């Protein structure tokens, strides 16, 4: 794995030097996250590549294309390869292991960013919509970019998303064949809301090397928290890492 990652870094560096339009970074981070389920969700390798070439970009599990790129407005269409949640019955707590596996979906999305210059040129409003074979999400976010110094970035954000009935039923519903142990009833939720808040910070040691930290929190409406397989709590995701920019 180490040789594979070093090879990728070397190739990205060569491409970046050869082409001024190509920008890339690789982030290695470690974080902890509480699960929405009464169990332990699966996690991927905590290495996040990103690159952009003209209007094409890759950011983590999201591949997208930017269009209508102006100073105060831009938009992009994208595919998220890891949308949703993934958990096996074997990773659930005792009494809940009878559930069928929930899997990530591949979702196609559309997003826009509006800078609210009348309030602050650093304030951005972001509406979004995505849909996959397991349901859709409609969201609205608000973020602020604060730079107390040239090498420091601090960005707080808030957002709300509406999860379609198909989405909530797949990830949080309970079918008859899953009833066993502590799961005693079927559950078919309606569409639900997800409320989120986050804080991101980054400190640049040099032009190419920086350290970052993040904290994200989510709270779901009762359609999700009343499910027999979910926890009624605030879901947190906190972590820190290093980033190398080519």
């Amino acid at each position: 794995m180490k040789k594979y990652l070093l090879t990728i870094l070397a190739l990205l560096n060569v491409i970046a030097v050869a082409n001024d339009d190509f920008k890339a970074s690789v982030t290695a981070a470690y974080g902890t996250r509480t699960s929405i389920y009464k169990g332990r969700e699966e996690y991927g390798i905590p290495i996040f590549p990103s690159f952009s070439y003209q209007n094409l970009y890759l950011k983590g599990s999201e591949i997208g294309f930017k269009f209508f790129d102006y100073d105060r407005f831009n938009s992009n269409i994208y595919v998220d390869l890891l949308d949703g949640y993934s958990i096996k019955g074997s990773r659930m707590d005792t009494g809940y292991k009878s559930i069928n596996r929930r899997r990530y979906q591949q979702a196609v999305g559309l997003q826009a960013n509006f800078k609210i210059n009348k309030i602050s040129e650093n304030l951005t409003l972001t509406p979004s919509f995505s849909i996959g074979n397991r349901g859709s999400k409609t969201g609205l976010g608000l973020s602020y970019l604060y730079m107390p110094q040239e090498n420091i970035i601090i960005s707080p954000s808030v957002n709300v998303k509406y999860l379609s009935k198909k989405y909530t039923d797949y990830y949080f519903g309970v079918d008859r064949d899953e009833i066993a142990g502590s799961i005693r009833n079927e559950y078919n939720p309606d569409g639900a809301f997800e409320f989120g808040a986050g804080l991101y910070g980054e400190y640049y040691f040099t032009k190419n090397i920086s350290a970052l930290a993040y904290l994200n929190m989510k709270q779901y409406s009762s359609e999700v928290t009343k499910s027999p397989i979910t926890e009624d709590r605030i879901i947190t995701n906190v972590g820190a890492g290093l980033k190398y920019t080519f």
Side-chain angles (χ1 to χ4, degrees):
M1 177 62 73
K2 185 182 293 185
K3 291 182 178 179
Y4 174 72
L5 292 173
L6 290 174
T7 301
I8 291 178
L9 292 174
L11 288 173
L12 291 176
N13 196 34
V14 170
I15 295 173
V17 170
N19 196 322
D20 292 336
D21 291 332
F22 184 86
K23 298 179 181 180
S25 67
V26 174
T27 301
Y30 177 80
T32 60
R33 181 176 64 180
T34 54
S35 174
I36 183 62
Y37 294 109
K38 293 177 178 177
R40 297 166 297 146
E41 295 177 43
E42 296 180 358
Y43 303 101
I45 299 173
I47 295 177
F48 312 101
S50 66
F51 77 80
S52 63
Y53 177 70
Q54 296 182 356
N55 291 339
L56 184 68
Y57 71 89
L58 166 69
K59 186 177 181 181
S61 63
E62 181 180 309
I63 302 171
F65 181 82
K66 296 181 180 179
F67 59 98
F68 297 136
D69 193 1
Y70 304 107
D71 290 338
R72 295 179 57 185
F73 168 77
N74 64 75
S75 57
N76 55 287
I77 186 170
Y78 63 89
V79 175
D80 189 346
L81 303 176
L82 298 175
D83 180 67
Y85 305 87
S86 176
I87 193 165
K88 298 177 181 178
S90 60
R91 298 181 69 86
M92 294 290 286
D93 295 338
T94 301
Y96 300 92
K97 296 182 181 294
S98 59
I99 71 163
N100 300 320
R101 182 174 183 178
R102 271 60 171 175
R103 300 176 183 272
Y104 293 119
Q105 69 170 352
Q106 288 71 54
V108 178
L110 183 65
Q111 177 178 287
N113 297 287
F114 299 89
K115 290 187 177 180
I116 311 176
N117 288 358
K118 290 185 177 181
I119 301 176
S120 171
E121 62 180 9
N122 294 327
L123 192 63
T124 303
L125 184 68
T126 305
S128 63
F129 175 78
S130 64
I131 186 169
N133 64 335
R134 297 184 175 112
S136 63
K137 297 188 295 185
T138 303
L140 185 66
L142 189 66
S143 60
Y144 182 78
L145 181 64
Y146 175 58
M147 297 183 66
Q149 298 181 24
E150 290 185 357
N151 64 331
I152 298 176
I153 294 174
I154 300 173
S155 180
S157 62
V158 293
N159 64 81
V160 60
K161 295 179 181 178
Y162 176 75
L163 314 177
S164 71
K165 177 177 174 56
K166 183 177 180 180
Y167 187 99
T168 58
D169 189 49
Y170 176 79
Y171 286 108
F172 311 119
V174 175
D175 294 332
R176 181 175 299 179
D177 64 346
E178 297 178 300
I179 298 175
S182 299
I183 305 175
R184 300 178 181 179
N185 299 294
E186 294 182 64
Y187 187 67
N188 302 110
D190 291 325
F193 285 95
E194 173 190 301
F195 305 95
L199 182 63
Y200 176 86
E202 189 167 355
Y203 179 86
Y204 282 84
F205 298 104
T206 68
K207 180 181 178 181
N208 303 102
I209 301 174
S210 60
L212 59 90
Y214 58 87
L215 168 65
N216 296 303
M217 298 182 293
K218 296 179 182 179
Q219 177 67 59
Y220 294 87
S221 60
S222 60
E223 292 83 1
V224 172
T225 58
K226 287 183 178 179
S227 170
I229 63 174
T230 63
E231 296 279 10
D232 184 6
R233 63 185 179 188
I234 295 175
I235 308 303
T236 60
N237 181 11
V238 59
L242 294 173
K243 183 170 77 173
Y244 182 80
T245 303
F246 300 89

